[in-house]
Amino acid sequence: MKTIDELLTEGVGGKRVFVRADLNVPLDGTTITDDGRIRAVLPTIARLAEAGARVIVASHLGRPKGAPDPAFSLAPAAARLGELLRADVAFATDTVGDSAEAVVAGLADGQVAVLENLRFNPGETAKDDAERAAFADRLAALADLYVGDGFGAVHREHASVVDLPARLPHAAGGLIATEVGVLKKLTEDVARPYAVVLGGAKVSDKLGVIDHLLEKADRILIGGGMAFTFLKAQGHEVGSSLLQEDQIPAVQGYLKRAEERGVEFVLPVDFLVAEQFPDLKTKAPAHPETVRADAMPAGKMGLDNGPETCALYASKLADAATVFWNGPMGVFEHPDYAEGTRAVAQALLDSSAFTVVGGGDSAAAVRILGFDENAFGHISTGGGASLEYLEGKTLPGLAALED
């Protein structure tokens, strides 16, 4: 896999370089609430521009239906990129149409442009190979070189991720090189004890990675909504908490395998519970109560780890040499249910382990809760991509960058 260092050595001055970034940032209207993904790709874009390239940045945002939708415009991301670069960034109002062609044609050496949301064109995500290829052909006509640096999309077989690099000389950007290097530390010659913390809403989203990590991890800590399927599998009542009953047999199988292999499975011992989900807009006080995990009242739902679980999880992470964390422990967006997630983040900071925060809601929580993200070993920009890599899957966007 060619790196951006090699590409820069060969020279990019005056060349049109297509950078597939991940600018899929959370928005409140047109306001970016977390610009972490923009800042993550910033070094690659800046290096190319400083070397005299004419940089064309492209990304998806959200899940539009293959047609323009103002709610998913990349205009706010383009504006923020310009602020971070401290330079004017041109913005094309389409991906391969008149605006894109004019904006790219107008670039001078060292200038940067952002194309509109790739997913406004149905060819980007098409299942039909010919439709994807046709869109990739039009994108390729805009550029001379391709740099893949959108790690959050490398698990998608999309036109700009897989088909486009097949049409242009290509290299991996600095962000992808860093992400892959970190993930190799979690899969090859891992420093032990190796602890994994998995949270989030649905256990079905994590089945593949649990299956794979049972062969690699020393202990697995479970939290978030997915914990209730594990507790139900052990015979506990879970009230009105989130539950995937159809996954109980799979979870029981994992618990048995973990016992056979000597992998420690750690589940919550207490929860903060309430009768209803909190209001995340007003953040009105929720007044939760604390209950034991084996005494969940009927009609109550668990919404965060309780204080005993917070202390337990901190103790289980204290001696780890490697920690991978993906998924919040509760409804961290509400202050009454943020402590479980905060406690895990703090435990990682207090540990001397190599710590990896696996993107998605975990990365957002670190920032929203006010932690210094530079204090962690690595914060991934791609939750789904990280998980699929740890499942042992081949990621199409990485395979496409191989020489």
Side-chain angles (χ1 to χ4, degrees), residues 39-356:
R39 288 185 286 108
V41 75
L42 191 67
T44 291
I45 295 170
R47 290 183 70 192
L48 289 167
E50 289 165 4
R54 303 178 183 192
V55 186
I56 306 155
V57 182
S59 175
H60 69 287
L61 191 152
R63 297 179 181 273
K65 305 293 186 181
D69 183 339
F72 298 107
S73 175
L74 276 172
R80 181 58 179 151
L81 177 61
E83 292 173 355
L84 293 168
L85 287 172
R86 297 181 181 179
D88 291 335
V89 169
F91 182 65
T93 57
D94 56 24
T95 53
V96 291
D98 293 342
S99 179
E101 292 174 2
V103 165
V104 171
L107 287 175
D109 294 358
Q111 290 187 329
V112 177
V114 174
L115 304 182
E116 185 54 284
N117 193 334
L118 289 163
R119 291 184 183 175
F120 285 0
N121 191 304
E124 170 68 359
T125 59
K127 301 296 184 184
D128 180 74
D129 292 347
E131 187 177 358
R132 268 200 339 273
F135 182 51
D137 286 340
R138 296 185 70 187
L139 290 172
L142 297 173
D144 305 304
L145 302 169
Y146 176 93
V147 171
D149 216 24
F151 181 73
V154 294
H155 59 314
R156 306 296 189 191
E157 194 168 353
H158 292 168
S160 66
V161 177
V162 174
D163 302 86
L164 183 55
R167 288 157 169 75
L168 294 170
H170 51 264
L175 174 60
I176 278 186
T178 297
E179 294 272 14
V180 172
V182 166
L183 288 169
K184 284 184 177 179
K185 288 186 179 181
L186 299 178
T187 54
E188 302 172 11
D189 194 26
V190 183
R192 298 186 180 279
Y194 178 18
V196 175
V197 186
L198 297 175
K202 296 181 179 180
V203 68
S204 56
D205 293 339
K206 304 292 197 308
L207 288 178
V209 74
I210 293 171
D211 183 65
H212 203 67
L213 287 172
L214 280 172
E215 308 298 320
K216 297 182 178 296
D218 297 301
R219 66 182 67 118
I220 299 175
L221 287 63
I222 301 293
M226 61 186 288
F228 299 104
T229 302
F230 280 88
L231 290 168
K232 187 71 171 179
Q234 291 184 328
H236 300 298
E237 292 303 319
V238 297
S240 59
S241 305
L242 188 64
L243 175 65
Q244 289 185 285
E245 289 208 50
D246 61 321
Q247 302 298 331
I248 288 176
V251 165
Q252 289 173 329
Y254 289 145
L255 291 170
K256 182 178 180 181
R257 275 179 58 199
E259 185 177 2
E260 293 170 349
R261 296 189 60 82
V263 177
E264 185 180 8
F265 243 101
V266 187
L267 297 175
V269 294
D270 63 344
F271 290 103
L272 299 185
V273 304
E275 292 183 353
Q276 60 187 14
F277 200 82
D279 189 327
L280 298 183
K281 288 188 177 181
T282 66
K283 307 287 176 71
H287 306 296
E289 62 178 298
T290 303
V291 302
R292 298 285 305 173
D294 58 1
M296 180 72 74
K300 296 288 182 75
M301 62 177 67
L303 294 163
D304 192 21
N305 287 345
E308 287 189 39
T309 302
C310 291
L312 172 65
Y313 282 21
S315 71
K316 295 295 183 180
L317 296 172
D319 67 340
T322 304
V323 180
F324 173 71
W325 170 34
N326 181 282
M329 299 292 100
V331 189
F332 71 92
E333 300 92 339
H334 192 286
D336 288 348
Y337 300 111
E339 192 54 38
T341 302
R342 189 192 309 277
V344 168
Q346 188 62 53
L348 266 62
L349 293 184
D350 293 341
S351 163
S352 60
F354 174 63
T355 57
V356 178

